[in-house]
Amino acid sequence: MRRQVLLFLSALCLGYVIGQVSYSIPEEMAKGSVVGNIAHDLGLDLKRIRSGKARVYTGGSAEYIGLNKERGVLLIQERIDREALCGEMTPCALHFQLILENPMELFRVTVEITDINDNAPSFTNAEKRFEISESAVIGSKFMLEKAIDSDIGTNGLQQYSLTPVDNFVLKLENQADGNKKAELVLQKSLDREKQNYISLLLTALDGGEPQMSGTMQIFISVLDANDNAPTFAKPLYRAKILENSPKGTSITTVSASDKDIGSNGEVSYLIAPSKRLLNELFKIDSKSGEIILIGEIDYEKANAYQIDIEVIDSGGLSDSTKVIVDVIDINDNNPHINIVSKSESILEDSPPNTVIAMLSISDPDSENNGKVECNIESNIPFKIQTTLSGFYTLITEIALDRELAARYNITVTCSDEGVPSLSSSVTLTLQISDVNDNAPVFERSSYEAYIVENNTPGLSIFTVKARDADWNQNARVSYILEDSSVNGVPVSSYVSVSADSGVIHAVRSFDYEQIKDFHFSVKAQDGGSPPLSSNVTVKILIQDQNDNPPQVLYPVQTGGSVVGEMVPRSADVGYLVSKVVAVDVDSGQNAWLSYKLQKATDRALFEVGLQNGEIRTIRQVTDKDPVNQKLTVIVEDNGQPSRSVTVIVNVAVADSFSEVLSEFTDFKQDKEYNDNLTFYLVLALAVVSFLFITCLVVIISVKIYRWRQSRVLYHSNLPVIPYYPPRYSDTLGATGTLQHVYNYEVCRTTDSRKSDCKFGRAGSQNVLIMDPSSTATMQRIQSEKSILDEPDSPLEVSHVGFCPL
C-alpha cells in the first residue's frame, strides 16, 4: 500500500493557525486502517490534540475518516468505494478540516482515493444480434456495445478481443473522451448460401492485476443484399442545456443518410447502450433523430453528458456518432452557512481581533454563481473576514463595553454573485461578560445636609448615593467613612455611614454654639477585584435652636453693690439713666433680644427701650420721688419658645452721695451681715477639709513607722518591750502619737452691724489628739500647757484667727 503525504503550513495574524496536509490511500481499505499520523505531520503533540478538543469537520457529508485523539492518527471509519464516491471523476479526493480550540486552529486535510482493480469490465447486454446483408462490402463497420468498467486508469477497460476472426475483425478507435470505440469490420464477404448465421465472442479486458474481463455474445444473421450503410452528417455533435430544464426539452437533432432506396434506405436512430443513467435522462426519436430530455439534470451532479447515437437501416447497416451535452449552470443554490466553532460569551476587555466564531461557507454553483461574499451589520463592533477558501472568521473590531451593550445578535449574511443573487443568513448570539472597569459615581459632586442642634444620637441625617455601571458583584457599592478629624477629634465620633445604604447617622448630639459646620469624605467602593472607588465631600451644617437664655453683661448681677445708677432730681424727660447690655450666644432670630420693664418702684418715671435696653426717664423728676428706685427689666429673645432673664437695676434719685448713703445705711448693714455669714461658712468647710487630710497623712505615717519597727524587732534577738515616749498620752487603752495640736481662735464682733473685731480666747485650750491605732478622740485636755511650752515637745500648736474686714 502506498501513501503520500504533502504538508503546507501558514500562520495568520489573527491568533490561529491554518494549514493543509494531503494523503493518498487506495479504496476499499478495511475499517480501522491508519490513513496517516496527522499529529506528526502537522507538528502537533498529543497533549495539544486532546486539550484542543480536536475533531474532524466534514461540513455535513459522510465521515469516512475519523481521528484517534490518543494516537494522533486518522483512521478509516467506513468502507470507501471510489466508484460510488466519485464515479469517473479524477482525481477522487475527500476534503475535510481538522478543528482545534483554545486557541482556534484550522487545518485542511485532503485524502486522495486511488483506484484498485475491483471491478471487471461488463456489457450492458449479454448478447448482440446483427442482420447483415450478404452484399455488405468488405470494410463495412458494425458498431459494438461498449463494455463498462467502473475502474479508472490502468484498472479500467484497456482492450477488446474477438473470436473467431474468419469474416470479421475488431477495430478499436480512440475517441475524444479517451475511450475506445469498438467496431466490427467485415474483412471477408459473406455468403448466405454457405453460412447464414455466425456466432462471435467479444471479450473486454482491463489492465489491472490480476486482469479481469467481461464477454458479450454476438449473433449475426446474414441477409440478402443491402450494400449501403447509413452515414451521419457529423462525427460529433455538441449541445447546451440549462440545468433544471423541464422534461420534454429538445436538446438537439442528429441526422444520417443512406444511399439505398426503398426499405434499405429507411433508417432508425437509437441511443447506444453504454451508461444506464443516460437512458434515464435522454431519449431519441427513432425517426427524426431528435434528442429529448426526459429526466432532471443538475449541474452540481454532472456538468456534461456524452451520448452515443447509432443509426441502422433496414438491412442492418449502421453508423454512429457522439453527442456532447454541456449543462449550463444557473444560480439555483443558496450559500450554505455552517458554524464550525463559536464562543457563547466574551469578556468586555478582550482585545480587538479576538476570534468569536469560525464559519464554513459553501455554494455548489459554478463561477460567479458560486462566488460568495459574507457581511455583517455595520453598526456593531465586529467584522468578518475570509481565511481559507470557503472559511470565514468573525472577530472583534474594537474594544467592547458591556455597559453600552451586554449582548449582541450578530447576523451574518452571505450572498453569491449570481443573477439574481441568492443569500443565506445566520444569527449568532454573543454575551458580553462584565469586568470591573467602572468606578462608582455619586449622584452629586458634593453634598450639604442640615441638622438641628441637640439632636438625638443615632439620628439619620442624610443619604449619599452612588451608582456603578458594572454588573452583579462589580456593581455592589459599599460606603466607607474616610478618616479625618474635626477640631482635632476623629470624624467617626461625629457621624457614621451605613456601608450598605449610604445613610449618614449622627453619633453624638451637636451644639451649634460649639460647632456650626464640618465636612468629611465618604468613599464609595465596589465589590470588584481589584475594587474601584470614588470619593465625595459631605458638609454638615448645624442649625441653631433656642437653647440658651440671654446673658446680661451690664449691669453685673453680683449683689456686691446696692446702688446701681444715680439720677439727679433735675433730670429732664428722656434722661439716660442706664443701659442694660445683654447677649445671646444663639444665632438668627434666637439671638434677637427685646427689653421690657417688668416692674418698678414708680412705673410712671422710667421706661426701657425695646430694642436697645436704654433706661430713660419719661417725666420730670420731682422732690416727692423716693430716693431708692428698684427696676426689674426682663430681657427676652425671639426664639420659639422664647427664653428670658431678669435684671435688677437699683437707681438712686438724689443730688449727692451723702443723701444716698444715709438712705441706704440699713440696707448696707444687712448686706454686711450676709457677707460675714457666707465667709464663716466657707471658713468652716476649709477647716474640716484640712483636718481630714491631716489625719489621713498621720495615720499612714504611723502605720509605716510601726511596720518598720516590727521588722527591726523581728530580725533582732532582743526582747520586745513596749515603749511610750514621754509626754505622750494613752487614752482609752490605746496609744496615740499625734504630733500636732490645733488651737482655733474665733473672733467676732459685739455688734454684727459694726466693722470692729472682738477677739475672745477660751479659758482652756481645746486640743484634738488622734491615735492612728484607735478611733478614740480626746477633747478638752486642760492641764498639758507645760508640755506644750517646752521646746523639745513633739507637739506643735497652731493658732488661726479669722476676722472679717
Side-chain angles (χ1 to χ4, degrees):
M1 179 177 65
R2 178 176 59 89
R3 181 169 72 243
Q4 298 176 346
V5 180
L6 179 62
L7 177 64
F8 301 92
L9 292 175
S10 61
L12 300 182
C13 61
L14 299 180
Y16 54 88
V17 176
I18 304 299
Q20 178 171 319
V21 63
S22 298
Y23 298 95
S24 178
I25 62 172
E27 65 175 332
E28 303 293 345
M29 290 181 68
K31 289 184 181 180
S33 298
V34 176
V35 176
N37 191 332
I38 193 167
H40 176 270
D41 296 337
L42 291 175
L44 302 173
D45 57 19
L46 295 180
K47 291 178 63 179
R48 173 62 182 138
I49 293 289
R50 290 190 290 269
S51 65
K53 300 178 181 179
R55 56 190 174 94
V56 171
Y57 172 75
T58 62
S61 60
E63 292 187 6
Y64 291 99
I65 297 176
L67 173 66
N68 186 318
K69 297 181 183 178
E70 300 300 325
R71 299 168 54 192
V73 297
L74 297 176
L75 303 176
I76 299 295
Q77 290 193 153
E78 297 290 338
R79 185 182 70 86
I80 302 175
D81 185 356
R82 192 206 65 79
E83 289 73 28
L85 183 65
C86 300
E88 295 181 358
M89 186 182 299
T90 56
C92 181
L94 294 175
H95 301 281
F96 55 91
Q97 291 75 37
L98 181 67
I99 306 296
L100 288 89
E101 298 180 357
N102 300 321
M104 290 185 183
E105 293 183 311
L106 171 67
F107 301 93
R108 172 169 286 176
V109 182
T110 300
V111 178
E112 182 181 2
I113 310 301
T114 60
D115 184 55
I116 64 173
N117 192 27
D118 59 339
N119 293 282
S122 64
F123 293 91
T124 304
N125 300 309
E127 62 182 34
K128 175 71 175 178
R129 295 184 180 274
F130 292 96
E131 293 180 350
I132 304 175
S133 173
E134 63 176 330
S135 62
V137 297
I138 295 175
S140 297
K141 296 181 293 183
F142 304 92
M143 289 298 301
L144 296 177
E145 178 183 346
K146 289 182 180 180
I148 300 173
D149 192 342
S150 300
D151 296 326
I152 61 172
T154 57
N155 294 325
L157 179 63
Q158 298 295 319
Q159 59 182 340
Y160 293 91
S161 64
L162 181 68
T163 57
V165 291
D166 297 334
N167 296 93
F168 297 89
V169 294
L170 188 64
K171 180 182 179 182
L172 299 178
E173 182 179 347
N174 292 325
Q175 293 185 305
D177 58 351
N179 294 325
K180 296 181 181 299
K181 180 171 71 173
E183 295 178 331
L184 193 63
V185 180
L186 182 63
Q187 66 173 355
K188 183 180 179 181
S189 299
L190 299 176
D191 188 355
R192 190 188 65 79
E193 286 75 19
K194 292 181 179 181
Q195 188 179 12
N196 62 353
Y197 191 85
I198 301 173
S199 177
L200 304 175
L201 182 64
L202 180 63
T203 303
L205 300 169
D206 63 20
E209 292 181 4
Q211 191 177 49
M212 304 180 74
S213 63
T215 61
M216 182 180 69
Q217 195 74 37
I218 301 174
F219 299 100
I220 301 173
S221 297
V222 181
L223 302 177
D224 198 25
N226 181 20
D227 55 353
N228 288 290
T231 304
F232 279 103
K234 294 188 295 184
L236 179 65
Y237 290 83
R238 299 194 73 95
K240 294 182 179 181
I241 186 172
L242 292 173
E243 69 169 326
N244 299 330
S245 294
K247 295 178 182 180
T249 300
S250 176
I251 299 174
T252 188
T253 300
V254 297
S255 176
S257 61
D258 194 324
K259 295 180 180 180
D260 293 326
I261 60 173
S263 61
N264 290 329
E266 294 178 359
V267 296
S268 62
Y269 302 92
L270 58 89
I271 296 175
S274 57
K275 297 180 180 179
R276 299 180 184 88
L277 179 63
L278 294 177
N279 292 323
E280 297 174 359
L281 295 177
F282 307 100
K283 77 173 182 177
I284 187 169
D285 190 301
S286 61
K287 298 300 181 183
S288 64
E290 181 183 14
I291 301 174
I292 300 172
L293 179 67
I294 62 173
E296 295 179 353
I297 57 175
D298 190 350
Y299 176 86
E300 286 70 45
K301 293 182 179 179
N303 58 6
Y305 296 94
Q306 297 184 14
I307 308 172
D308 292 322
I309 306 297
E310 293 183 7
V311 60
I312 301 175
D313 62 15
S314 59
L317 299 179
S318 64
D319 194 8
S320 65
T321 188
K322 183 178 288 292
V323 178
I324 298 178
V325 180
D326 294 318
V327 181
I328 302 174
D329 181 44
I330 64 173
N331 192 25
D332 60 343
N333 289 282
N334 294 72
H336 180 68
I337 304 173
N338 195 8
I339 301 174
V340 177
S341 181
K342 71 171 183 176
S343 299
E344 299 294 337
S345 63
I346 187 173
L347 290 173
E348 64 175 318
D349 62 349
S350 297
N353 297 327
T354 299
V355 178
I356 297 170
M358 187 177 293
L359 308 176
S360 171
I361 314 298
S362 61
D363 192 326
D365 293 324
S366 66
E367 298 181 350
N368 290 342
N369 295 333
K371 292 181 179 179
V372 179
E373 178 112 5
C374 294
N375 296 286
I376 60 175
E377 302 173 32
S378 59
N379 59 345
I380 57 176
F382 305 96
K383 64 181 178 180
I384 188 169
Q385 60 186 22
T386 182
T387 55
L388 287 176
S389 177
F391 283 87
Y392 287 81
T393 54
L394 184 64
I395 61 176
T396 58
E397 187 173 22
I398 59 174
L400 304 176
D401 190 351
R402 190 207 66 83
E403 288 67 48
L404 295 178
R407 185 179 70 172
Y408 288 95
N409 292 322
I410 308 170
T411 300
V412 180
T413 302
C414 296
S415 305
D416 59 29
E417 297 182 7
V419 179
S421 176
L422 298 179
S423 63
S424 299
S425 62
V426 65
T427 299
L428 305 175
T429 299
L430 181 66
Q431 299 287 344
I432 309 302
S433 301
D434 185 51
V435 297
N436 192 27
D437 58 347
N438 289 278
V441 177
F442 284 95
E443 294 176 345
R444 303 181 191 172
S445 58
S446 62
Y447 292 91
E448 282 191 359
Y450 297 86
I451 183 171
V452 179
E453 67 171 332
N454 303 318
N455 59 286
T456 303
L459 178 68
S460 173
I461 303 175
F462 191 66
T463 300
V464 294
K465 193 69 176 178
R467 301 186 182 277
D468 196 311
D470 292 321
W471 181 73
N472 205 3
Q473 184 68 23
N474 294 332
R476 189 169 297 166
V477 179
S478 299
Y479 302 91
I480 303 169
L481 180 64
E482 292 283 66
D483 291 336
S484 62
S485 61
V486 178
N487 297 332
V489 179
V491 71
S492 58
S493 64
Y494 284 83
V495 292
S496 66
V497 179
S498 174
D500 296 328
S501 62
V503 177
I504 300 174
H505 295 87
V507 175
R508 62 167 62 176
S509 178
F510 297 110
D511 186 355
Y512 176 83
E513 286 69 42
Q514 293 182 1
I515 182 171
K516 294 179 173 54
D517 62 72
F518 62 94
H519 65 272
F520 54 90
S521 292
V522 176
K523 179 170 73 173
Q525 180 173 290
D526 61 27
S529 180
L532 300 177
S533 63
S534 61
N535 290 48
V536 71
T537 300
V538 180
K539 185 176 183 180
I540 302 298
L541 299 161
I542 314 300
Q543 292 182 323
D544 183 48
Q545 269 190 336
N546 192 27
D547 57 343
N548 291 283
Q551 298 178 6
V552 178
L553 302 180
Y554 184 84
V556 179
Q557 301 294 295
T558 61
S561 176
V562 177
V563 179
E565 305 292 342
M566 189 170 68
V567 178
R569 295 187 180 275
S570 60
D572 295 329
V573 176
Y575 178 81
L576 179 60
V577 178
S578 182
K579 182 175 182 178
V580 177
V581 180
V583 295
D584 195 321
V585 294
D586 293 324
S587 66
Q589 65 178 10
N590 295 330
W592 296 351
L593 302 180
S594 60
Y595 304 84
K596 298 177 183 178
L597 184 61
Q598 186 179 33
K599 65 179 181 178
T601 304
D602 187 354
R603 297 187 64 91
L605 181 57
F606 302 99
E607 68 174 358
V608 178
L610 181 64
Q611 303 298 330
N612 54 24
E614 292 180 351
I615 302 174
R616 294 180 181 273
T617 58
I618 56 176
R619 64 175 175 79
Q620 183 71 42
V621 180
T622 65
D623 295 337
K624 296 181 180 181
D625 293 323
V627 175
N628 184 15
Q629 297 283 338
K630 186 176 182 180
L631 308 179
T632 302
V633 179
I634 182 169
V635 183
E636 187 177 31
D637 60 28
N638 197 38
Q640 293 296 330
S642 63
R643 302 173 72 94
S644 61
V645 66
T646 58
V647 182
I648 297 176
V649 180
N650 292 316
V651 179
V653 179
D655 291 327
S656 63
F657 281 105
S658 59
E659 184 180 354
V660 174
L661 290 176
S662 62
E663 184 68 24
F664 283 91
T665 300
D666 294 338
F667 179 76
K668 287 182 180 179
Q669 291 176 351
D670 292 340
K671 178 178 182 301
E672 289 175 358
Y673 175 78
N674 292 334
D675 291 343
N676 290 336
L677 180 60
T678 301
F679 174 79
Y680 293 147
L681 290 175
V682 172
L683 178 62
L685 179 61
V687 170
V688 171
S689 299
F690 178 79
L691 288 175
F692 174 78
I693 294 172
T694 303
C695 291
L696 187 62
V697 171
V698 170
I699 290 171
I700 294 173
S701 301
V702 171
K703 285 287 186 180
I704 293 173
Y705 175 78
R706 286 190 172 184
W707 176 79
R708 293 181 64 184
Q709 289 294 327
S710 65
R711 296 291 294 176
V712 172
L713 294 175
Y714 177 79
H715 290 288
S716 66
N717 295 324
L718 298 176
V720 178
I721 301 173
Y723 171 74
Y724 298 96
R727 301 176 184 175
Y728 275 50
S729 298
D730 185 5
T731 306
L732 300 177
T735 61
T737 59
L738 183 64
Q739 298 182 3
H740 299 277
V741 176
Y742 293 89
N743 291 341
Y744 297 89
E745 293 182 356
V746 180
C747 61
R748 61 183 179 82
T749 60
T750 55
D751 187 353
S752 62
R753 295 187 178 185
K754 303 298 182 179
S755 61
D756 296 332
C757 295
K758 300 294 183 179
F759 292 88
R761 180 185 298 268
S764 63
Q765 293 180 339
N766 295 337
V767 180
L768 178 63
I769 301 175
M770 297 183 66
D771 182 8
S773 64
S774 173
T775 58
T777 303
M778 296 182 296
Q779 295 180 343
R780 300 182 180 276
I781 299 176
Q782 303 292 335
S783 61
E784 296 293 334
K785 181 173 180 59
S786 60
I787 296 175
L788 299 174
D789 292 336
E790 293 185 9
D792 59 348
S793 174
L795 301 178
E796 294 177 10
V797 180
S798 175
H799 298 272
V800 180
F802 299 90
C803 180
L805 297 178

